[in-house]
Amino acid sequence: MMVCVMYVNNIEIYDNVYGGYGIGRLDNGKVVFVPFGVKGDIANIKIKEEKKSFSYGELIELVKPSHHRVDGFCKYIGVCGGCSYGFLDDDFEIEVKRRIVENSFRNISDFKIDEYVHSNKRDYRVRCRMRLKWGGLFYKKFNSNELVSIDECPILKPSILNKLKDVAGSYSDTDCDISIIENEKGEELIFLDSDIDITDSKYNIKSKRCQKGLKSIEFNINKHTIPAGYRSFFQTNRYLFESFQRKVVEQLKGYETVLEFYCGSGFFTIPLSKEVRKIVAIDQNDEALRLLKQQATGRAEVLNTDLKKDIINIKGRFDAVLVNPDRDGLSKGVLKVIMDKKPEIIVYVSCNPQTMSRDIKNFMNRYKMCQFTVVDQFYKTYHIESIAVLTER
């Protein structure tokens, strides 16, 4: 069968959208999504995939670059799938992200962003996941399982990449995923998704077979000790930890009882447990909850529940609810519990404005949005962290 490859010349990229795409329009009116395109670019592209109402393209050649386009952020930009906004100048990146959030909430009347908090410091990431393959380190290409070999990453703490390179060299016959988190003291936890023997390592490291060194590490954030484990979720941007935590906790001060879903190892739970009379914190990550129980005050009750299923038997009334789901948003079970409990306030934290908006629409008959803050933890990527505060009408 002959495959017809279609090329389109001199297409204008007229906007940037969520997911890391620039968008243009073909002669037939169909929208085409072009990774790494920047609003104002004139480009030659190749159509990679045809859908009924839109297409996906690949940028082949820049005929005329946008005045919003910058070069030099990283030598892997356009190949590695990580920093899909790496070609955007800083001011335009903020403009794009503001517009994406506003567009996601266009069906909620009188929506506005009250505050936009960001940091343009590069080496912000305290954790990452890569592929370790035959002594090298790899990220995935944009929207692909194909791998790209890397030896630098400007958004990672340099010490993290140095440790990963060292581990890769020590396990040069290994092919597996590798993840790392490092605190401000330089203590690290490294997980190798393999059953190899790592007992001779000089690092705190764990495989499916064995573990060497520390079982967990701690972060000091606003004078609170927040634990992190090998496989538990933790926030990303070390330059925004304090302001991010503080903005959420301050919204819930003064409320006596808080119900928290997707609590992780306690980034918000631990400071809140010192401010409220009672907090019930729920997640389904065994390691994270074990660490949380060790650090939270006696005011915190920690429950291990499958949040993807219907949630029952959460007894009592709660003044406030805090949720911080992954990018898929709230499960139906969590939505139902919140609606049944009828709290006075809901604080919704999310890294995906689209699922966040979808969920919040379910609450708008009873609640109004009184505050919306973007805490842009993900410099040069398309991810956008936000805090929405809903109070009863």
Side-chain angles (χ1 to χ4, degrees), residues 129 179 189 191 193 206 208 229-233 285 287-288:
R129 184 181 181 90
S179 56
L189 301 176
F191 181 78
D193 195 6
K206 184 176 183 179
K208 292 180 178 179
Y230 286 94
R231 305 304 301 272
S232 59
F233 172 77
N285 183 301
E287 180 187 47

Side-chain angles (χ1 to χ4, degrees), residues 10 31 57 72-73 77 195 237 248 277 299 364 373-374 383 391:
N10 296 310
V31 166
F73 180 75
I77 293 291
D195 61 359
N237 192 321
V248 171
R277 181 172 60 82
R299 301 175 189 176
M364 294 312 288
T373 302
V374 175
H383 302 290
T391 55

Side-chain angles (χ1 to χ4, degrees), residues 18 104-105 325-330 348 350-362:
Y18 187 74
S104 297
F105 283 85
D326 61 23
R327 65 190 64 176
D328 291 335
L330 303 180
Y348 192 133
S350 173
C351 65
N352 185 338
Q354 296 179 340
T355 55
M356 185 186 199
S357 171
R358 177 202 68 197
D359 292 339
I360 285 176
K361 288 173 189 174
N362 290 285

Side-chain angles (χ1 to χ4, degrees), residues 122-134:
R122 294 188 172 202
D123 55 345
Y124 62 87
R125 288 194 69 97
V126 299
R127 62 181 179 89
C128 78
R129 184 181 181 90
M130 292 185 180
R131 188 75 183 180
L132 187 160
K133 190 178 179 71
W134 316 134

Side-chain angles (χ1 to χ4, degrees), residues 167 170-171 190 197-205 212-213:
V167 172
S170 299
Y171 301 97
I190 301 172
D197 183 0
I198 46 83
T199 52
D200 62 344
S201 175
K202 62 184 177 183
Y203 298 111
N204 302 304
I205 190 168
K212 181 180 183 296

Side-chain angles (χ1 to χ4, degrees), residues 269-311:
T269 318
I270 289 169
L272 279 170
S273 71
K274 301 172 184 177
E275 298 288 345
V276 301
R277 181 172 60 82
K278 177 184 178 182
I279 179 168
V280 175
I282 303 173
D283 210 312
Q284 58 194 49
N285 183 301
D286 294 340
E287 180 187 47
L289 295 179
R290 173 179 57 79
L291 295 173
L292 173 56
K293 287 177 181 178
Q294 293 172 2
Q295 287 291 344
T297 72
R299 301 175 189 176
E301 179 183 354
V302 180
L303 301 179
N304 192 333
T305 301
D306 188 346
L307 295 174
K308 298 294 184 183
K309 296 181 180 179
D310 291 340
I311 300 168

Side-chain angles (χ1 to χ4, degrees), residues 92-347:
F92 187 61
E93 180 183 352
I94 293 172
E95 179 186 327
V96 167
K97 289 182 173 179
R98 290 184 69 100
R99 190 165 64 246
I100 287 169
V101 172
E102 289 166 351
N103 189 54
S104 297
F105 283 85
R106 63 188 180 279
N107 293 327
I108 293 180
S109 61
D110 301 322
F111 173 80
K112 65 183 178 69
I113 297 172
D114 297 289
E115 187 177 6
Y116 193 107
V117 180
H118 73 103
S119 168
N120 59 2
K121 294 181 180 179
R122 294 188 172 202
D123 55 345
Y124 62 87
R125 288 194 69 97
V126 299
R127 62 181 179 89
C128 78
R129 184 181 181 90
M130 292 185 180
R131 188 75 183 180
L132 187 160
K133 190 178 179 71
W134 316 134
L137 296 170
F138 297 80
Y139 281 135
K140 288 183 178 180
K141 294 184 177 181
F142 185 86
N143 277 3
S144 170
N145 287 322
E146 290 185 50
L147 299 174
V148 53
S149 175
I150 67 104
D151 61 12
E152 66 179 49
C153 179
I155 64 174
L156 272 183
K157 285 179 67 178
S159 54
I160 285 180
L161 191 57
N162 290 336
K163 289 176 180 180
L164 290 178
K165 288 179 179 179
D166 194 10
V167 172
S170 299
Y171 301 97
S172 57
D173 58 348
T174 303
D175 181 0
C176 69
D177 286 343
I178 183 170
S179 56
I180 184 171
I181 183 168
E182 183 185 278
N183 64 13
E184 66 271 19
K185 299 177 185 177
E187 297 170 327
E188 75 292 320
L189 301 176
I190 301 172
F191 181 78
L192 284 171
D193 195 6
S194 169
D195 61 359
I196 63 173
D197 183 0
I198 46 83
T199 52
D200 62 344
S201 175
K202 62 184 177 183
Y203 298 111
N204 302 304
I205 190 168
K206 184 176 183 179
S207 72
K208 292 180 178 179
R209 179 179 174 183
C210 52
Q211 185 261 332
K212 181 180 183 296
L214 296 173
K215 294 182 178 180
S216 63
I217 59 174
E218 297 173 346
F219 289 79
N220 186 280
I221 302 170
N222 292 317
K223 299 181 180 181
H224 301 291
T225 300
I226 312 297
Y230 286 94
R231 305 304 301 272
S232 59
F233 172 77
F234 205 83
Q235 299 297 334
T236 300
N237 192 321
R238 60 188 175 127
Y239 298 116
L240 294 176
F241 281 161
E242 292 190 354
S243 59
F244 183 36
Q245 184 189 77
R246 191 163 49 241
K247 286 181 181 298
V248 171
V249 172
E250 286 177 351
Q251 293 294 336
L252 295 165
K253 285 182 179 180
Y255 293 93
E256 289 200 350
T257 53
V258 177
L259 178 59
E260 181 186 7
F261 291 102
Y262 314 94
C263 63
S265 59
F267 187 85
F268 301 120
T269 318
I270 289 169
L272 279 170
S273 71
K274 301 172 184 177
E275 298 288 345
V276 301
R277 181 172 60 82
K278 177 184 178 182
I279 179 168
V280 175
I282 303 173
D283 210 312
Q284 58 194 49
N285 183 301
D286 294 340
E287 180 187 47
L289 295 179
R290 173 179 57 79
L291 295 173
L292 173 56
K293 287 177 181 178
Q294 293 172 2
Q295 287 291 344
T297 72
R299 301 175 189 176
E301 179 183 354
V302 180
L303 301 179
N304 192 333
T305 301
D306 188 346
L307 295 174
K308 298 294 184 183
K309 296 181 180 179
D310 291 340
I311 300 168
I312 57 176
N313 295 329
I314 299 176
K315 297 179 181 179
R317 182 184 177 279
F318 294 89
D319 304 318
V321 166
L322 167 63
V323 295
N324 182 20
D326 61 23
R327 65 190 64 176
D328 291 335
L330 303 180
S331 69
K332 292 180 180 179
V334 171
L335 276 169
K336 184 178 185 305
V337 171
I338 297 172
M339 299 293 280
D340 290 346
K341 292 298 182 183
K342 299 182 176 67
E344 296 174 32
I345 185 173
I346 302 169
V347 178

